[in-house]
């Protein structure tokens, strides 16, 4: 099955008779209805698909317009709707790189199938992004309130700061019902997966771009609006499709993962290059971190990094020391983040990463050290793609 979707795609419909399609088989597309003269203004990147009503256009004018299309650089897929097309028009059509005809009358399904086939054909012949290797890091909290969202945001911000390329890092909030990344960053969540139902499984890169909210230089956020039913309304296939496309589009993808397991959790973890489990310095949290890490290692085949958060620089106090924490973990901690309540609170209230508002905070320093170590450990595990949305989970 094709992975294309018409949701949010730009469609140029030539012919007033095509307008009703916006409420039918083209529902969700950004559709412009115009006359033949609109084709003379066509520029690269202006539209994703052209539909032309060949039955109701003057044949000579239509043939001339199609001849003009053949000169357009990067012409999008073009679909003609009509019956008994003149021979001259057919010859002109054959010179277009990606074109087809749907004979009238047609069903909604026939039209959609023709559109998807054209989009697939164009995508298959487009220059591929070979050599692009994305890295996906998942961040989970051992217990609620451990600071995993803060860590995920700061990790994503640190990665973006190291890149000079626009849109190099994508932070995805997979707390679908009540994610905190958007309010933390002072952003508006726009990934409305629940609104589209099963159609979200056909998502493509264009729709992903429409869902993305820029939250900093080189950093985009994908987050759903608050919806208590989201975990039930959004399918496993839709979530995995999001991750699949994001890993194709960005150099780094950081997942803010819920600690409770869902139908897509193991697939997301199995497709990650790193899993970071964030624990606060309490015995229950440390025990939970150890148990969660063991579960992830057994199920996904990747040993998580356990990072201790809110590490206080004091000799005496109620919190366990690092040595005591590692005793509870029964392993060495892979990193520690200093406690800096003032910096964290200021950033949350102002909207933005701590590195933006308090760049000299100890939290920023410790996150930078953690990111440097993970970037250096390229041999720790070879990158693996997120499982395709339509496939079953790999063993």
């Amino acid at each position: 099955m094709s992975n294309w979707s018409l949701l949010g795609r730009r469609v140029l419909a030539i012919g007033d008779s095509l307008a009703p399609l916006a409420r039918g088989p083209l529902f969700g597309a950004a559709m412009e209805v115009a006359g033949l003269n609109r084709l003379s203004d066509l520029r690269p990147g202006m539209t994703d698909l052209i539909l032309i009503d060949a039955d109701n256009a003057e044949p000579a004018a239509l043939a001339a317009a199609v001849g003009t299309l053949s000169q357009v650089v990067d012409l999008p897929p073009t679909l003609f709707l009509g019956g008994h097309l003149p021979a001259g028009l057919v010859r002109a059509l054959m010179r277009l790189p990606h074109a087809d005809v749907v004979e009238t009358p047609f069903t909604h399904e026939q039209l959609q199938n023709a559109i998807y086939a054209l989009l697939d054909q164009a995508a298959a012949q487009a220059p591929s992004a070979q050599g692009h290797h994305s890295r996906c890091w998942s961040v989970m909290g051992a217990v609620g309130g451990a600071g995993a969202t803060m860590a995920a945001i700061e990790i994503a911000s640190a990665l973006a700061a190291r890149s000079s390329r626009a849109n190099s890092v994508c932070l995805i909030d997979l707390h679908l019902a009540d994610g905190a990344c958007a309010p933390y960053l002072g952003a508006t969540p726009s990934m409305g997966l629940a609104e589209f139902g099963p159609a979200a499984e056909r998502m493509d890169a264009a729709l992903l771009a429409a869902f993305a909210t820029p939250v900093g230089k080189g950093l985009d956020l994908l987050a759903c609006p608050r919806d208590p039913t989201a975990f039930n309304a959004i399918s496993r296939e839709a979530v995995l499709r999001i991750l699949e496309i994001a890993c194709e589009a960005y150099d780094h993808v950081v997942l803010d993962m819920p600690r409770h397991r869902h139908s897509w959790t193991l697939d997301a973890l199995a497709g990650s290059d790193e899993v970071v489990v964030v624990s606060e310095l309490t015995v229950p949290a440390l025990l939970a971190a150890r148990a969660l890490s063991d579960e992830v290692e057994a199920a996904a085949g990747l040993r998580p990094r356990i990072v201790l958060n809110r590490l206080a620089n004091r000799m005496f106090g109620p919190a366990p020391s690092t040595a005591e924490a590692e005793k509870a973990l029964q392993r060495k901690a892979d990193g520690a983040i200093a406690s800096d309540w003032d910096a964290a609170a200021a950033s949350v209230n102002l909207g933005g990463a701590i590195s933006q508002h308090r760049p000299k905070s100890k939290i920023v320093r410790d996150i930078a050290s953690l990111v440097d170590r993970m970037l250096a450990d390229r041999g720790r595990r070879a990158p693996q793609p997120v499982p395709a949305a339509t496939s079953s989970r790999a063993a």
Side-chain angles (χ1 to χ4, degrees), residues 194-343:
E195 300 174 14
F196 300 125
E201 299 165 13
R202 301 181 66 88
M203 185 176 304
D204 55 29
L207 186 59
L208 184 80
F211 280 163
T213 302
V215 290
K217 184 179 179 181
L219 176 58
D220 286 348
L221 170 68
L222 291 175
C224 291
R226 187 178 182 86
D227 179 0
T229 67
F231 280 115
N232 294 326
I234 300 173
S235 69
R236 165 186 175 272
E237 289 74 20
V239 173
L240 295 184
R241 181 65 181 151
I242 280 281
L243 303 186
E244 183 181 18
I245 302 173
C247 286
E248 293 171 355
Y250 294 88
D251 295 334
H252 287 89
V253 176
V254 179
L255 309 181
D256 184 13
M257 293 280 295
R259 69 183 191 281
H260 298 301
R261 187 174 297 185
H262 299 279
S263 60
W264 40 263
T265 299
L266 294 182
D267 289 305
L269 294 175
S272 298
D273 304 297
E274 296 276 4
V275 177
V276 177
V277 174
V278 180
S279 175
E280 58 185 3
L281 281 171
T282 66
V283 171
L286 294 167
L287 295 177
R290 185 179 76 191
L292 179 59
S293 297
D294 290 344
E295 292 170 11
V296 171
E297 186 169 2
L302 176 61
R303 183 176 175 84
R305 297 177 184 266
I306 298 180
V307 174
L308 305 178
N309 190 26
R310 304 190 187 104
L311 192 67
N313 186 18
R314 58 188 181 190
M315 186 174 298
F316 303 104
S321 64
T322 301
E324 291 169 332
E326 291 177 340
K327 184 177 181 180
L329 293 172
Q330 295 184 355
R331 54 175 283 186
K332 289 282 187 181
D334 296 280
I337 304 172
S339 177
D340 190 347
W341 170 255
D342 290 341

